């Protein structure tokens, strides 16, 4: 036994040395690429490519790839080609931090990822420390903005803007009482809390119930029971589609007759599948623009479908735009230096996105949130109200 | 109120089915089989795979197809349970109990991430969904699928109970639970009995998995984790090692959860459940129906 202990120590020491040297190598390598002004410009995206949100992650990756290919075909940026690198975060904070570190050590100069807010949050300080600008296409919790980091830009409406859109529609639709249910994630709680605040300030719509559920379970009979007891005109579910589908299914089985609205994290074909049959028919959703609801996107949709063999899904346009904004900022800055690119992003005015001309607020969010209301009809999400 | 009781009993019958396997294995070889919840998950995935391979199933045939798949899955998960015992537990039977416990955790992760690697990490939508009428009973809404599933669960539990009480294999199981070495001396093939115990326990968990898939409609590779812990809690409440205790504990835990989350709010459900586990382990570790034993783990 006495002999074994030094052996273990030696192994540990050797392992630690190897780790330390490779770690150093990574950091040195990162610095090298950053100072070099030739070779491809590396764009990284930390997005969910596995796990519950993987379907959306794939749409995002495709949208980004499409923009990268288009820009490269036109000669790239500053005469250099773009190189796109998608890292999997599986909608998990730990994996997201690891993926962000990997992207930084790979020499990324700009980040265009971010879907699950809870997983995106821990990546902010990592990119910030490396002075890498982030253009977040999908994650939209107010928490991301509250960090007040100079390198973080959101080209998607925030939770606050989403809540405002939800409230606007509730009032417009004549809803008198609402049940708010979130899934305890940063993104979801943010929208629910903001909606509650807005409704209380307005006073026209009563909050009959505000509660949370634990994500990842199968049986939601207790929250269904609470909703039935509160008897609201509308349920607003602010979590993701997995639990959303189950709750819709179990609500319908319990005989719920009121309206249901879901937030953008639940806008996915899987919501309709999981809720079963026609249960999701008539479910509303607060959502930023999808390719299907944008006028004049027909050629873009056709190009996408041709390239990837399937129709574009949610957040593919925002992801496409994120890469274009990144390229625009680097061109304007005339360099890939983080500080110069951030200044260029702040200076952008009128750059045409799918959601309209881009200009960032001092908080680095969109001047116009661009949320609209979708409804499930015949097994698909279609546009109900543009709220304009 | 009646709705809460019904909801609790319905969820509780799932817990009870899984708790049975936990309790049986513990009763016989004093092992907390942490991979048991994942056998439930495996049952759901095997059911998914076999049902998908049938192609499109007409709605009128869905109950029949489901019963066939249920039986098939029970046999397969039972076999896998036996395999796990052979590979992971039997070689360690004379090792310290902690070693077997750690192996059980390892077996659990192997099953979870093995399924994730084979079937992909994304949740799957079950190809057959039980649908049916709903009835009003004393102010509670009860649906036909719920009744069918409850009936299957109760039948399985009653069948197991009479198997243990009436057959010679059941008698051998009870004998080993009391005194394993003594049973060996009396000529009982202990290994064979343990194999059977794992087979039956895993088959019941697999059945619960298929039933959950058909009822809730969504399955994913981590679905067995929490429910495994809850089945363990149910087994502790009823008195671990006691078959009737596992059934009682399951139903009771379902009721406790239903009333607890009504009282504290849905997000407190799991906190409440596991607080009950702690309370039982500290105040009455033998559970409701467990007997006082001289040897403690």
């Amino acid at each position: 036994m006495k002999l074994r202990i030094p052996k273990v120590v030696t192994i540990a020491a050797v392992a630690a040395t190897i780790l330390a040297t490779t770690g150093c190598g990574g950091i040195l390598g990162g610095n090298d690429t950053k100072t070099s002004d030739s070779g491809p410009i590396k764009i990284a995206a930390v997005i969910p490519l596995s796990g519950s949100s993987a379907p959306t992650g794939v749409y995002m990756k495709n949208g980004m790839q499409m923009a990268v290919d288009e820009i490269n075909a036109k000669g790239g940026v500053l005469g250099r080609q773009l190189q796109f690198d998608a890292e999997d975060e599986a909608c998990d904070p730990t994996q997201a931090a690891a993926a962000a570190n990997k992207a930084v050590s790979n020499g990324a100069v700009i980040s265009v990822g971010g879907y699950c807010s809870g997983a995106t949050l821990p990546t902010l300080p990592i990119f910030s420390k490396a002075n890498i600008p982030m253009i977040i296409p999908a994650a939209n919790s107010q928490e991301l903005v509250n960090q007040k980091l100079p390198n973080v830009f959101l080209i998607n409406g925030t939770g606050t803007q989403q809540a405002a859109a939800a409230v606007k529609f509730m009032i417009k639709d004549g809803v008198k009482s609402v049940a708010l249910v979130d899934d305890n994630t940063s993104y979801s709680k943010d929208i629910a809390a903001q909606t509650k605040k807005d409704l209380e300030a307005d006073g026209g719509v009563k909050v009959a119930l505000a509660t949370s559920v634990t994500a990842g379970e199968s049986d939601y009979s207790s929250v269904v029971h609470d909703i039935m007891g509160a008897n609201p005109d509308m349920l607003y579910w602010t979590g993701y589609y997995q639990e959303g589908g189950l709750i819709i299914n179990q609500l319908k089985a319990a005989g719920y007759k009121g309206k249901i609205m879901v937030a953008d994290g639940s806008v996915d074909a899987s919501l309709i599948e999981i809720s079963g049959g026609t249960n999701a028919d008539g479910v509303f959703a607060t959502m930023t623009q999808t390719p299907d609801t944008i006028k004049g996107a027909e050629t873009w949709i056709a190009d996408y479908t041709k390239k990837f063999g399937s129709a574009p899904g949610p957040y593919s346009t925002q992801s496409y735009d994120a890469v274009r904004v990144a390229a625009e900022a680097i061109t304007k800055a005339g360099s890939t230096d983080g500080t110069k690119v951030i200044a260029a992003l702040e200076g952008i005015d009128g750059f045409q996105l799918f959601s309209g001309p881009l200009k960032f607020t001092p908080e680095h969010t969109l001047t116009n949130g661009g949320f609209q209301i979708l409804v499930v009809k015949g097994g698909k999400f279609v546009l109900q109200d543009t709220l304009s | 109120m009646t709705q809460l009781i019904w909801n609790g009993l319905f969820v509780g019958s799932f817990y009870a089915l899984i708790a049975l396997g936990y309790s049986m294995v513990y009763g016989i070889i004093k092992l907390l089989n942490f991979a048991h919840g994942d056998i439930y998950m495996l049952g759901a995935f095997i059911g998914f795979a076999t049902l998908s391979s049938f192609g499109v199933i007409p709605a009128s045939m869905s109950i029949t197809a489901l019963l066939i798949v249920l039986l098939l899955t029970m046999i397969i998960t039972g076999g896998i349970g036996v395999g796990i015992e052979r590979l992971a537990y039997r070689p360690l039977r004379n090792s310290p109990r902690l070693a077997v416990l750690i192996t059980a955790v390892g077996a659990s992760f192997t099953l979870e991430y093995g399924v994730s690697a084979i079937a992909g990490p994304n949740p799957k939508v079950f190809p057959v969904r039980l649908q049916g009428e709903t009835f009003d009973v004393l102010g509670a809404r009860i649906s036909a699928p719920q009744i069918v599933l409850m009936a299957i669960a109760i039948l399985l539990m009653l069948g197991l109970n009479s198997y243990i009480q009436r057959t010679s294999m059941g008698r051998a199981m009870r004998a080993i639970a009391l005194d394993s070495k003594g049973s060996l001396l009396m000529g009982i093939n202990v290994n064979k009995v343990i194999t059977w115990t794992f087979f039956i326990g895993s088959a019941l968990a697999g059945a619960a998995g298929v039933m959950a898939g058909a009822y809730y409609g969504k399955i994913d590779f981590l679905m067995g984790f929490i429910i495994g812990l809850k089945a363990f809690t149910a087994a502790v409440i009823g008195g671990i090692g006691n078959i009737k205790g596992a059934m009682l504990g399951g139903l009771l835990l379902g009721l406790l959860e239903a009333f607890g989350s009504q009282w504290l709010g849905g997000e407190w459900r799991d906190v409440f459940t596991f607080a009950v586990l702690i309370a039982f382990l500290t105040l009455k570790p033998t559970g409701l129906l467990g007997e006082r034993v001289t040897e403690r783990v």
Side-chain angles (χ1 to χ4, degrees), chain A residues 50-52 54-55 184 211-212 214 217-219 221-222 225-226 242 246 249-250 252-255 273-276, chain B residues 1 3-4 7 10-11 121-123 125 129 131 134 141 215-216 218 220 226 230 261-262 265-267 269-270:
Chain A
S50 67
S52 55
N184 258 330
T211 187
S212 311
T214 316
E217 297 200 338
S218 299
D219 193 276
S221 54
S222 66
H225 186 82
D226 290 349
Q242 287 200 55
L246 290 173
N249 178 277
Q250 290 169 30
K252 292 284 166 153
E273 261 186 76
I274 293 171
S275 62
Chain B
M1 181 74 175
Q3 185 72 57
L4 279 181
N7 286 350
F10 179 69
V11 180
N122 300 328
V125 178
R129 182 81 65 100
Q131 269 154 349
T134 47
R141 279 177 71 94
Y215 180 71
Y216 295 114
K218 186 207 77 170
D220 65 86
I226 285 283
K230 286 194 177 162
S261 52
Q262 169 72 9
E267 66 265 46
R269 185 167 95 162
D270 290 357

Side-chain angles (χ1 to χ4, degrees), chain A residues 237 239-249 262 266 271 274-275:
Chain A
W237 161 250
Y240 295 96
Y241 59 83
Q242 287 200 55
E243 290 80 25
L246 290 173
I247 291 173
I248 292 172
N249 178 277
V262 296
S266 280
L271 178 90
I274 293 171
S275 62

Side-chain angles (χ1 to χ4, degrees), chain A residues 39-384:
Chain A
I41 297 176
K42 288 183 179 169
I43 294 187
V46 177
I47 46 179
L49 296 173
S50 67
S52 55
S53 299
T56 315
V58 172
Y59 294 137
M60 293 176 71
K61 187 180 163 204
N62 289 350
M64 290 167 186
Q65 191 64 55
M66 199 163 143
V68 167
D69 291 350
E70 277 179 22
I71 292 164
N72 280 343
K74 283 182 193 154
V77 176
L78 306 177
R80 295 159 67 186
Q81 292 279 294
L82 295 182
Q83 188 185 334
F84 174 57
D85 171 27
E87 297 284 347
D88 184 18
E89 46 110 307
C91 209
D92 171 66
T94 331
Q95 282 203 47
N101 276 319
K102 197 174 156 206
V104 171
S105 65
N106 277 350
V109 294
I110 197 158
S111 155
V112 291
Y115 172 69
C116 295
S117 298
T120 308
L121 211 48
T123 68
L124 300 192
I126 296 169
F127 284 116
S128 172
K129 224 174 212 167
N131 200 24
I132 294 174
M134 295 178 77
I135 301 166
I136 301 179
N140 56 8
S141 167
Q142 192 64 31
E143 272 304 303
L144 300 169
V145 181
N146 292 347
Q147 305 300 311
K148 296 196 169 38
L149 291 171
N151 67 319
V152 176
F153 293 82
L154 273 70
I155 60 161
N156 182 25
T158 60
T160 311
Q161 286 165 329
Q162 176 153 201
V167 170
K168 197 171 170 188
F169 183 69
M170 286 169 194
I171 294 167
K172 203 171 165 186
D173 204 46
V175 171
K176 290 278 166 267
S177 63
V178 172
L180 299 168
V181 181
D182 64 69
D183 69 358
N184 258 330
T185 60
S186 162
Y187 147 81
S188 175
K189 274 197 103 65
D190 175 39
I191 300 171
Q194 194 60 43
T195 308
K196 186 160 183 269
K197 219 162 117 191
D198 288 3
L199 287 176
E200 276 162 1
D202 179 77
V205 183
K206 198 177 94 206
V207 178
L209 174 76
T211 187
S212 311
V213 298
T214 316
E217 297 200 338
S218 299
D219 193 276
Y220 288 105
S221 54
S222 66
V223 75
V224 165
H225 186 82
D226 290 349
I227 295 168
M228 295 304 285
N231 194 23
D233 292 346
M234 180 185 267
L235 159 72
Y236 188 32
W237 161 250
T238 60
Y240 295 96
Y241 59 83
Q242 287 200 55
E243 290 80 25
L246 290 173
I247 291 173
I248 292 172
N249 178 277
Q250 290 169 30
L251 266 177
K252 292 284 166 153
Y256 178 72
K257 292 275 183 285
K259 292 168 184 168
I260 299 171
M261 185 153 79
V262 296
D264 56 350
S266 280
V267 178
D268 190 287
S270 304
L271 178 90
I272 301 161
E273 261 186 76
I274 293 171
S275 62
T278 55
N279 282 336
D281 272 5
V283 168
F284 297 111
T286 45
M287 181 64 186
T288 41
Q289 282 154 322
T290 64
D292 297 337
T293 61
I294 296 169
K295 284 203 183 90
E298 290 82 9
T299 27
W300 188 84
I301 294 173
D303 288 350
Y304 181 105
T305 315
K306 202 174 145 204
K307 194 172 167 88
F308 299 107
S310 65
Y315 292 110
S316 46
T317 49
Q318 283 92 339
S319 305
Y320 174 83
D321 278 344
V323 174
R324 287 176 54 239
V325 172
E328 167 77 7
I330 293 173
T331 312
K332 270 192 147 183
S335 148
T336 55
D337 179 70
T339 317
K340 286 183 189 156
V341 176
I342 290 170
L345 279 167
E346 281 171 340
I348 285 181
D349 191 359
F351 184 74
Q352 201 59 38
L353 301 181
F354 275 108
S355 57
L358 173 69
K359 179 165 174 53
F360 286 111
T361 63
E363 282 188 310
H364 293 182
T365 59
L366 288 186
T367 342
N368 176 5
F371 276 97
Q372 49 190 12
I373 304 295
L374 307 184
V375 67
V376 178
K377 232 183 225 157
K380 272 175 88 174
F381 281 98
V382 295
L383 185 64
Q384 164 82 13

